[in-house]
Amino acid sequence: MDQVQPQDILNESRFNMQAKYGDSVLIVPVIWPSLNLPMPLGYFGDRKRAHRAGEALRHIWEEIGDVCLRRRQLPSKRFHLYSHSMGSWVLYNFAKSINVPRPPLKIKPNQTQHCPRFSCIFLVAANAPTELFQKDSPSMKQAGGNITSIADKVVVVYSRKDNVLSFVDRVPFLMGNQDLGFRGPGDKASLPRNVIAVDTAQITGEMHHFHTPNLNSKFVAYVKSCFSIKPEEMKARNHQQNKQQQAEVSASSSVSGGNRSVGGDCSIPGSPESEADRSVGRSMRSPTSVTR
């Protein structure tokens, strides 16, 4: 049997994702060491490795910031970060270890910005604390606040039909409350202004595997639409679609006595997108969930 090399996984992931996202987005896949064992055998070992990977990511982030400060210049491109599954635990530990705020750069006479900064951070099927973005929670104080400070928008995508995270949800005494991607972020009214939460089915409709929506065409369209929309507009759109979904399910139940899940394409037709967009991705055991 041929031995699979990290560069083979990276290249395959980039080509798969790049084909979906097109030329307007440059995919930069990132892989971190894991045991690559089925649940639950490799779970705890991988979480330890994810902790160290988060600290390594902090060093890269700080080096980029140091270059910006030395040059007194912000990057000319927009960066987005996509974390999937246990990759969100990498993100959590990265955020937990960074110092915010860093020295700001003056970009206009009366405007400063901290560098580096992400346009969008995505947490998809996140194996991370459920209270990560809840006000005054320990996780918010340790990491969630830092994540919201270094991004214009934070998008949490979750699903109660995620059969991988449902296992984590069933054994909290072993796994802890690490099922943000299953339960969602809690009370949406108390989320920070720039945090948006959306159910996967609301984007894609019914799927076979809700844990890995990364290559679904409707999901890709939704992610790309997030690059240029304001947080308040995203929240309003999600709220409207939630009401429509509930109304359609209610109507279906009253007519047929059954239930059905209604999903829709949440992309914004014709939404502007710069060819300068960039993103960095993180995945659980392979970088196939990288977007930007």
Side-chain angles (χ1 to χ4, degrees):
M1 180 182 293
D2 293 335
Q3 184 177 9
V4 177
Q5 298 297 319
Q7 61 267 26
D8 298 329
I9 299 175
L10 288 169
N11 288 335
E12 180 182 359
S13 299
R14 180 180 181 276
F15 293 144
N16 288 342
M17 297 300 292
Q18 194 68 70
K20 283 288 184 179
Y21 280 81
D23 295 336
S24 63
V25 180
L26 175 63
I27 303 298
V28 183
V30 176
I31 191 170
W32 55 276
S34 67
L35 295 174
N36 199 28
L37 295 175
M39 287 277 284
L41 298 178
Y43 182 84
F44 297 104
D46 281 348
R47 283 182 69 82
K48 291 181 180 179
R49 287 166 172 78
H51 181 89
R52 294 192 291 269
E55 294 180 345
L57 178 59
R58 182 201 71 210
H59 293 305
I60 298 174
W61 185 80
E62 290 177 342
E63 287 180 6
I64 295 173
D66 289 341
V67 170
C68 292
L69 288 172
R70 286 197 301 270
R71 296 181 177 180
R72 305 299 302 171
Q73 184 179 1
L74 292 170
S76 59
K77 312 299 182 184
R78 289 189 297 168
F79 288 80
H80 314 287
L81 188 148
Y82 183 108
S83 66
H84 173 255
S85 198
M86 198 178 287
S88 296
W89 188 239
V90 176
L91 173 62
Y92 177 92
N93 285 284
F94 155 72
K96 186 177 177 180
S97 68
I98 64 177
N99 294 318
V100 176
R102 293 173 61 82
L105 287 174
K106 182 175 290 188
I107 56 178
K108 291 181 181 179
N110 297 317
Q111 185 178 0
T112 60
Q113 180 174 315
H114 297 285
C115 179
R117 185 173 182 82
F118 296 101
S119 177
C120 292
I121 291 181
F122 298 90
L123 294 92
V124 180
N127 182 216
T130 52
E131 74 280 4
L132 181 57
F133 298 111
Q134 287 298 318
K135 184 179 179 181
D136 297 329
S137 71
S139 295
M140 179 66 175
K141 294 177 181 178
Q142 292 175 350
N146 282 350
I147 294 174
T148 59
S149 295
I150 61 173
D152 296 333
K153 288 161 286 190
V154 179
V155 183
V156 179
V157 183
Y158 64 94
S159 174
R160 290 281 186 142
K161 298 180 180 180
D162 187 323
N163 60 352
V164 175
L165 290 179
S166 65
F167 175 82
V168 177
D169 183 72
R170 289 196 300 269
V171 285
F173 56 92
L174 285 178
M175 307 297 189
N177 295 316
Q178 301 295 322
D179 49 357
L180 174 65
F182 182 81
R183 291 188 171 270
D187 181 13
K188 295 182 180 180
S190 66
L191 295 176
R193 181 195 61 81
N194 62 334
V195 175
I196 298 95
V198 58
D199 190 302
T200 310
Q202 185 180 325
I203 302 171
T204 64
E206 284 297 328
M207 291 196 308
H208 188 58
H209 293 296
F210 277 90
H211 189 68
T212 52
N214 311 298
L215 294 177
N216 179 281
S217 58
K218 292 182 179 180
F219 187 79
V220 170
Y222 178 84
V223 169
K224 293 176 71 174
S225 77
C226 292
F227 297 159
S228 302
I229 189 173
K230 295 180 180 178
E232 53 270 25
E233 293 173 346
M234 293 181 68
K235 288 186 176 182
R237 181 182 63 178
N238 291 342
H239 177 68
Q240 182 179 6
Q241 288 172 335
N242 272 330
K243 291 177 62 177
Q244 180 182 359
Q245 183 179 32
Q246 292 169 2
E248 292 183 6
V249 170
S250 177
S252 175
S253 299
S254 63
V255 171
S256 64
N259 292 316
R260 66 187 181 93
S261 175
V262 179
D265 186 352
C266 293
S267 63
I268 301 177
S271 60
E273 179 185 347
S274 168
E275 293 191 3
D277 282 331
R278 296 287 183 270
S279 84
V280 180
R282 318 265 173 257
S283 67
M284 185 168 179
R285 290 182 176 83
S286 75
T288 54
S289 57
V290 177
T291 88
R292 69 80 163 303

